[in-house]
Amino acid sequence: MPADPLHSAGKSQRSTTSQPTNGSRASAIEVRRSARRRRTVSAYREGDRTVVLIPARMSEAEEQRWVTVMLDKLAAQESRRALGDSELAERARRLSDQYFDGRARPASVRWVTNQNTRWGSCTPSEASIRLSHRLQGMPEYVVDYVLCHELAHLLVPGHGPRFWRLLEAYPKTERARGYLEGVAAAQRLPRVPEDSDD
C-alpha cells in the first residue's frame, strides 16, 4: 500500500513498536493511532519498519488482529510484483550475502514452468538455480526460503545434517516449509461436490 503522507507527517495519539509477527521483511512494526481516523486501517513500509495506521478507539486485541491482516496484505502485494529473472538473481545474491557470507554464488537464477513436482532445483556443477513458476504470487518469505534452500545446495549438495545446519541461518525456514506443505496438501484434497438442481 502506498505511503500515507498525511498521517506519517501528522501527530498520532499513540505509537508503539514491536517485532513482526509474520513473514514481514521489516524489522519492526510501528502502530500509530489517530483520533481523526474513524474506520480505515492502512499500512506502508518506511525503511526497515512497517507503519500501521489505526483508529485510536481500537482495543489491543483489534490492534493485533489488524496488524496481522495488514502485514499479510503488504506481503501479498510485494510478492505479486512479478520478479523477472534478473531481479530473482539479484535477490539470490542479497540472500547469499545475508545468510551465507556471500559464499553461494549462482551463475544463473531463473523461473521455469516445467517443475510441477518440486519448488526449485539446483545443479551445483553448473551453479544454476531454477524456481518453479508456481512460487510466483506466494509470500516473499516463502520465495526467499526456496532461494536459500537452493543456494545452500551450491555449498552442500545433499540433504544431510550439514545442509540443514547451513539452512538454519534463514530465520523463516520452518514457517516457509509449513506454508509449502499446506499448499501441497491443499492441492491433493478432493474437490467438494457442487450442489445440483437435478
Side-chain angles (χ1 to χ4, degrees):
M1 295 183 175
D4 184 349
L6 293 175
H7 291 92
S8 60
K11 291 184 179 178
S12 59
Q13 182 184 37
R14 185 171 69 92
S15 178
T16 60
T17 303
S18 61
Q19 292 302 314
T21 57
N22 77 349
S24 165
R25 69 183 173 142
S27 61
I29 301 160
E30 181 178 333
V31 177
R32 295 181 187 168
R33 290 176 175 258
S34 170
R36 293 185 312 180
R37 191 173 279 271
R38 297 286 178 215
R39 291 182 299 225
T40 61
V41 176
S42 63
Y44 60 92
R45 303 284 191 211
E46 188 175 82
D48 272 354
R49 66 186 169 161
T50 300
V51 177
V52 180
L53 307 167
I54 64 172
R57 63 174 172 70
M58 275 193 181
S59 69
E60 292 295 321
E62 288 175 309
E63 174 183 313
Q64 286 304 314
R65 184 177 73 80
W66 276 106
V67 165
T68 300
V69 165
M70 297 312 288
L71 286 173
D72 287 344
K73 279 187 175 186
L74 282 173
Q77 284 177 349
E78 289 164 353
S79 68
R80 277 195 297 267
R81 292 185 194 123
L83 290 177
D85 290 346
S86 60
E87 292 94 355
L88 198 60
E90 174 58 25
R91 194 162 172 175
R93 186 195 62 73
R94 284 195 318 266
L95 290 167
S96 176
D97 289 345
Q98 186 173 0
Y99 298 111
F100 305 113
D101 298 320
R103 294 178 295 133
R105 289 286 179 212
S108 69
V109 182
R110 61 191 175 95
W111 296 106
V112 294
T113 58
N114 63 350
Q115 290 189 6
N116 295 316
T117 59
R118 57 172 74 177
W119 300 111
S121 62
C122 174
T123 306
S125 63
E126 298 172 2
S128 65
I129 292 175
R130 293 158 307 281
L131 263 56
S132 172
H133 72 285
R134 296 178 304 138
L135 289 165
Q136 292 173 329
M138 289 190 186
E140 191 174 86
Y141 72 95
V142 175
V143 175
D144 286 352
Y145 162 72
V146 176
L147 277 171
C148 283
H149 184 106
E150 303 310 333
L151 286 166
H153 278 310
L154 292 175
L155 303 173
V156 179
H159 286 106
R162 202 168 132 238
F163 171 84
W164 293 110
R165 277 194 305 275
L166 189 62
L167 197 52
E168 285 175 0
Y170 182 65
K172 296 183 177 87
T173 291
E174 289 304 312
R175 181 186 174 103
R177 286 173 56 90
Y179 184 99
L180 292 172
E181 287 170 5
V183 169
Q187 290 173 349
R188 288 191 299 267
L189 290 176
R191 292 185 64 196
V192 177
E194 296 178 17
D195 291 337
S196 63
D197 296 324
D198 318 352

